[in-house]
Amino acid sequence: MKQSPDPAAADPSADRRSDGVSHVTLSIGGMTCASCVRNVGNALQKVPGVREARVNLALEQATVLAEPDVRVEALATAVEGAGYTVLDAQDEHQGEREVNARWRRFVVAAALAAPVVVLAMAHMFAGLDFPGFDLLQLALTTPVQFGVGYVFYVGTWKALRNRRANMDTLIAVGTTAAFGYSATEVLAPEALPGHAIYFEVAAAVIALILLGKYLEALGKSRASAAVRRLLELRPLTARVLREGAEAQVAAAEVAVGDRVVVRPGEKIPVDGVVLEGRTSVDESMVTGESVPIEKGPGSEVVAGTVNQNGSVVFEARRVGEDTVLAAIVRLVSEAQSRRAPIERYVDTVSAWFVPVVMVLAAATFAYWNGPGADTALAIGVEPLAFALLASVAVLIIACPCALGLATPLAIMVGTGRAAQFGVLFKGGESIERASRVDTVVFDKTGTLTQGTPRVTDLATSPGVDETALLAAAASAESASEHPLAAAVVREATRRNLSVVRPSDFSAVPGQGVRAVVAGRSVAVGTAELVGAPPPELAASAAQLEAAGKTVVFVALDDRVAGVVALADTLRPGAREAVAALAPADLWMITGDNERTARAIAAQAGVRNVLWRVRPDGKAEEIAKLREKGRVVAMVGDGINDAPALARADVGIAMGAGTDVAKETGEIILLRDDPADVPASLALARATMRKIRQNLLWAFGYNAVLIPVAAGLFTAWPVFGSPVTLHPAFAAGAMALSSVSVVANSRLLGRYVPHIRRRAARRPRTAAPATAPTEVPL
């Protein structure tokens, strides 16, 4: 891979955070295992002014938080001083070139190693031999060992220069020992006892490890596709109305306030609000919403989504790096670079892993060439040759690479998969904590409920038309700014009723409004304002209030004619979401009154309810639950619930589709769908399962196969037969270990939370575009 001539070019994502700390992302070349991660991290941490350095093997990146005066050049120098390279992060084809380069190295190694292995097998089983037989194997193996295998020597030299060892060290030492022993037998046969050559060991080990490296790079490239897919959503051009004509410009040149035209089948270039036209928009790429959403005047549109079947004109509100899509890309990229707490254990193991393996290999060699010599002779093998093979097998079988990939690769795939469902994790720590949540606390307003009141019931006196009553009430309320008045007007508009501007309008604080509509006097408000209702309306009002609804009376020409009931209703799917969270302990917390709180909780299926709780009190209630040993997730809208979101173990901010850069929650949900709460926790648990599976595989693989490679079951036979592990098979097993971790992590890319596997998402539609219905008042 090409080194960037300008280290600053490696810093496309460098920015200044709100607290003044510089956030720099470097693309690192040359890392092969967990030891390399530790080496790069230590080197960066030593740069004066660096507060934190997070190195990710799967992404091949280092994320650095530093003082503003720390220069990128200083960071690049530290990385290069540790023996690694800083690459051009803006080079989109860098990963593809690395995959292709690893494939070419493997092909060359395999082409030369294959005849060496064939010759060795033919000699062993068929007694094949001819003049120059050994020299031919030496000639074929030498370019494999020192040509394509040169990369392992380079890696070893860089590690030793920093007084450390890594995976390259194990491979270089092991294959060099096998090659050197065999070359000595060929060129100076009198120097060693017996006559045994193991060129096929050196050639096959290098070829198989290069195959594993290629498959690993291919798997990592495909696993890291989430951010690339998001970036591909960005349209390159936009059609803007300027001076009355359409002009096609680069999307980056669209300014706030521009009027943008989007035709059917085109991508929306920036965020904005529709001014003219109606259409449906496919937002699945950004929010995970599978059903196209109807858009009309006043509807918000998001960059990267696809316009379906109508032309619209919208006003640009957020452009460039301020768009929702840009914020999603930023959050996903940062989440993939943040380490999970479980990686601390991997760091501890990786610091000792390679030195311990080298000590074990040396002990293996010493044993079989000393105390175990008689056992080797008993199975018909020269002790020195067997000691060499066993120690080489120990060096080759050990795989710190699998340990280094186990956690970051699963997090990378998990965060990318979650983003496809409109769920944004802020890093590995968020995922790990979310996977342990046993208590979920919901805010009521805007979380379980719609957040705005709407008309739920109408009751009228005998002889009064329900539609006429609603039209009269909406007309009178149309001059009011009260939230309940707006809800009455919205309901009339939804029913396509004509709303007439009132005359002689007056508002009575705390009671309601009086107005004249089409020559008739209309009063909307409390019983104190409109007068005593007839008994049947009073009974209906009492029943509606008992259900937690707000009741307003409507009087026409000074006679109480009906009742309008309003309530903040449950979001669609809220009850299903609550049911999906079982067996977690569920709570609802609200500043509303007890009657309304209990009514909403009963509708949602939440048993534990706290009412009349102020925003600061919500944080205190969360703290009380945590003091009981609970792992608490708080679900809120990320604004007035900010203290509680911050106090919880996991803060989940809902409905962030138009404000995705919130700092309140550890998990951000791009949609207003309560079903995404259980989906986000399920995704966290699935990701942690993959991490544990990967670590179990990596640790278990080494724990089982290193003793086999060392010849433990040769000295103490199993079922009466000695068990040995040829170095070539050890190399294959090592490659399989890394590939298995990659493949297991990639399976997470197919995971679908149970609640998202149910029926198709409910469509959301805009108001119909038909003419209003005139209703006689």
Side-chain angles (χ1 to χ4, degrees):
M1 287 185 282
K2 179 171 112 175
Q3 182 176 344
S4 172
D6 178 11
D11 184 27
S13 61
D15 64 352
R16 185 71 53 79
R17 301 194 317 180
S18 58
D19 56 4
V21 177
S22 294
H23 183 124
V24 183
T25 300
L26 300 173
S27 190
I28 310 296
M31 294 192 298
T32 59
C33 64
S35 296
C36 298
V37 171
R38 182 181 176 86
N39 295 345
V40 174
N42 288 341
L44 289 169
Q45 205 72 55
K46 291 177 182 177
V47 177
V50 170
R51 294 189 180 183
E52 182 183 359
R54 300 191 296 260
V55 184
N56 189 303
L57 177 62
L59 289 173
E60 297 182 325
Q61 285 182 349
T63 303
V64 182
L65 301 183
E67 300 294 340
D69 58 347
V70 175
R71 296 179 59 80
V72 176
E73 289 85 348
L75 301 176
T77 300
V79 171
E80 290 163 359
Y84 303 89
T85 55
V86 177
L87 307 171
D88 184 357
Q90 295 179 333
D91 185 352
E92 296 180 358
H93 303 290
Q94 181 176 276
E96 182 181 348
R97 284 202 302 274
E98 173 65 10
V99 171
N100 292 337
R102 292 191 180 190
W103 171 252
R104 288 192 298 271
R105 284 197 291 268
F106 163 69
V107 169
V108 173
L112 294 170
V116 176
V117 173
V118 170
L119 289 171
M121 295 300 102
H123 176 74
M124 183 182 304
F125 296 109
L128 177 66
D129 199 1
F130 53 82
F133 179 85
D134 295 343
L135 289 173
L136 176 59
Q137 291 187 74
L138 173 62
L140 290 170
T141 306
T142 299
V144 176
Q145 184 71 44
F146 301 107
V148 290
Y150 175 73
V151 292
F152 301 118
Y153 289 104
V154 172
T156 299
W157 167 245
K158 290 178 179 178
L160 294 178
R161 197 172 63 183
N162 289 278
R163 287 175 286 190
R164 297 189 182 276
N166 59 13
M167 189 192 73
D168 289 337
T169 309
L170 301 179
I171 297 168
V173 171
T175 58
T176 301
F179 179 86
Y181 181 91
S182 302
T184 302
E185 282 282 12
V186 172
L187 301 176
E190 68 285 349
L192 296 172
H195 181 71
I197 58 174
Y198 300 105
F199 288 119
E200 80 281 2
V201 170
V205 163
I206 290 175
L208 287 169
I209 289 173
L210 290 176
L211 174 61
K213 285 296 179 186
Y214 162 71
L215 294 174
E216 177 188 308
L218 186 64
K220 286 196 296 183
S221 175
R222 291 175 177 174
S224 63
V227 172
R228 290 201 304 274
R229 283 196 296 267
L230 288 170
L231 290 172
E232 289 169 0
L233 296 178
R234 297 179 301 184
L236 299 178
T237 61
R239 194 177 288 106
V240 180
L241 288 175
R242 291 180 178 169
E243 299 179 356
E246 292 184 12
Q248 188 159 318
V249 301
E253 296 178 6
V254 178
V256 174
D258 278 348
R259 292 163 62 90
V260 183
V261 180
V262 184
R263 294 174 180 165
E266 295 180 343
K267 287 183 179 178
I268 293 170
V270 296
D271 297 355
V273 176
V274 175
L275 301 176
E276 304 171 15
R278 290 188 179 276
T279 187
S280 59
V281 176
D282 178 3
E283 296 187 345
S284 60
M285 301 294 186
V286 175
T287 66
E289 178 65 65
S290 59
V291 177
I293 300 171
E294 298 296 320
K295 302 288 185 180
S299 299
E300 294 193 345
V301 290
V302 177
T305 58
V306 181
N307 184 30
Q308 296 279 62
N309 50 22
S311 294
V312 292
V313 177
F314 70 91
E315 179 183 329
R317 294 288 179 88
R318 288 181 296 273
V319 300
E321 292 303 307
D322 295 328
T323 64
V324 169
L325 179 60
I328 292 173
V329 171
R330 206 159 46 240
L331 279 171
V332 173
S333 298
E334 289 179 6
Q336 291 183 341
S337 69
R338 291 184 178 180
R339 292 159 61 82
I342 198 172
E343 287 190 79
R344 289 193 295 266
Y345 302 110
V346 177
D347 290 343
T348 302
V349 172
S350 64
W352 294 95
F353 187 86
V354 174
V356 167
V357 168
M358 296 191 73
V359 169
L360 288 175
T364 299
F365 184 87
Y367 174 81
W368 289 112
N369 203 37
D374 291 341
T375 304
L377 290 170
I379 62 173
V381 183
E382 171 65 35
L384 179 60
F386 189 78
L388 175 71
L389 288 178
S391 58
V392 169
V394 169
L395 291 170
I396 300 303
I397 199 72
C399 189
C401 187
L403 287 175
L405 288 172
T407 300
L409 197 58
I411 289 175
M412 182 172 67
V413 177
T415 52
R417 183 58 170 167
Q420 294 175 1
F421 289 114
V423 175
L424 302 182
F425 291 102
K426 287 193 174 179
E429 188 173 0
S430 305
I431 292 173
E432 188 167 338
R433 285 205 301 264
S435 70
R436 296 186 284 108
V437 165
D438 56 22
T439 302
V440 180
V441 180
F442 284 96
D443 173 54
K444 177 182 77 70
T445 306
T447 303
L448 286 176
T449 68
Q450 300 279 10
T452 54
R454 73 176 186 88
V455 174
T456 60
D457 301 272
L458 290 169
T460 62
S461 297
V464 178
D465 181 71
E466 182 181 281
T467 303
L469 180 83
L470 180 61
S475 296
E477 296 275 34
S478 64
S480 173
E481 296 180 354
H482 195 280
L484 296 182
V488 173
V489 174
R490 281 197 303 271
E491 179 64 15
T493 303
R494 188 186 71 81
R495 297 191 184 196
N496 210 29
L497 303 180
S498 177
V499 178
V500 180
R501 191 71 178 174
S503 58
D504 295 332
F505 173 85
S506 64
V508 182
Q511 294 188 16
V513 302
R514 288 193 180 98
V516 175
V517 178
R520 299 186 66 178
S521 66
V522 180
V524 183
T526 64
E528 289 79 10
L529 177 72
V530 303
E536 64 274 11
L537 282 182
S540 296
Q543 187 176 7
L544 291 167
E545 286 180 334
K549 298 176 181 179
T550 300
V551 170
V552 295
F553 294 94
V554 182
L556 301 177
D557 295 330
D558 299 323
R559 183 173 71 89
V560 180
V563 170
V564 179
L566 304 98
D568 184 6
T569 57
L570 279 182
R571 289 188 182 277
R575 188 172 183 84
E576 292 83 353
V578 168
L581 286 167
D585 189 22
L586 302 179
W587 293 71
M588 190 187 81
I589 189 167
T590 179
D592 215 331
N593 60 71
E594 178 182 358
R595 184 182 60 195
T596 302
R598 287 190 179 278
I600 292 295
Q603 293 173 34
V606 179
R607 293 184 179 180
N608 303 304
V609 190
L610 296 172
W611 56 86
R612 294 200 181 282
V613 182
R614 296 171 60 86
D616 54 345
K618 292 180 181 180
E620 293 175 4
E621 296 296 337
I622 295 294
K624 290 177 183 177
L625 289 171
R626 293 186 64 192
E627 287 170 2
K628 296 177 182 178
R630 307 282 183 83
V631 181
V632 182
M634 171 67 194
V635 187
D637 60 15
I639 302 172
N640 62 332
D641 297 314
L645 289 168
R647 183 65 66 88
D649 293 286
V650 180
I652 303 178
M654 275 192 63
T658 58
D659 189 17
V660 77
K662 288 178 182 175
E663 296 295 332
T664 47
E666 288 296 308
I667 301 175
I668 295 176
L669 309 181
L670 297 182
R671 307 184 306 163
D672 292 331
D673 193 341
D676 288 343
V677 176
S680 65
L681 299 182
L683 283 160
R685 288 191 293 269
T687 302
M688 288 307 299
R689 277 198 302 272
K690 287 299 176 189
I691 290 174
R692 294 188 186 99
Q693 290 167 7
N694 287 348
L695 290 175
L696 180 63
W697 175 263
F699 281 116
Y701 156 88
N702 286 291
V704 171
L705 292 185
I706 286 179
V708 176
L712 179 66
F713 300 116
T714 301
W716 292 277
V718 180
F719 303 118
S721 300
V723 177
T724 60
L725 184 65
H726 193 278
F729 291 108
M734 175 193 170
L736 180 62
S737 175
S738 296
V739 172
S740 296
V741 166
V742 172
N744 189 47
S745 298
R746 284 193 60 203
L747 288 175
L748 190 59
R750 301 179 182 179
Y751 177 76
V752 180
H754 180 69
I755 196 167
R756 297 297 294 269
R757 291 199 294 264
R758 294 178 180 175
R761 313 309 301 172
R762 297 165 296 279
R764 294 180 287 178
T765 58
T770 56
T773 303
E774 298 286 344
V775 180
L777 302 178

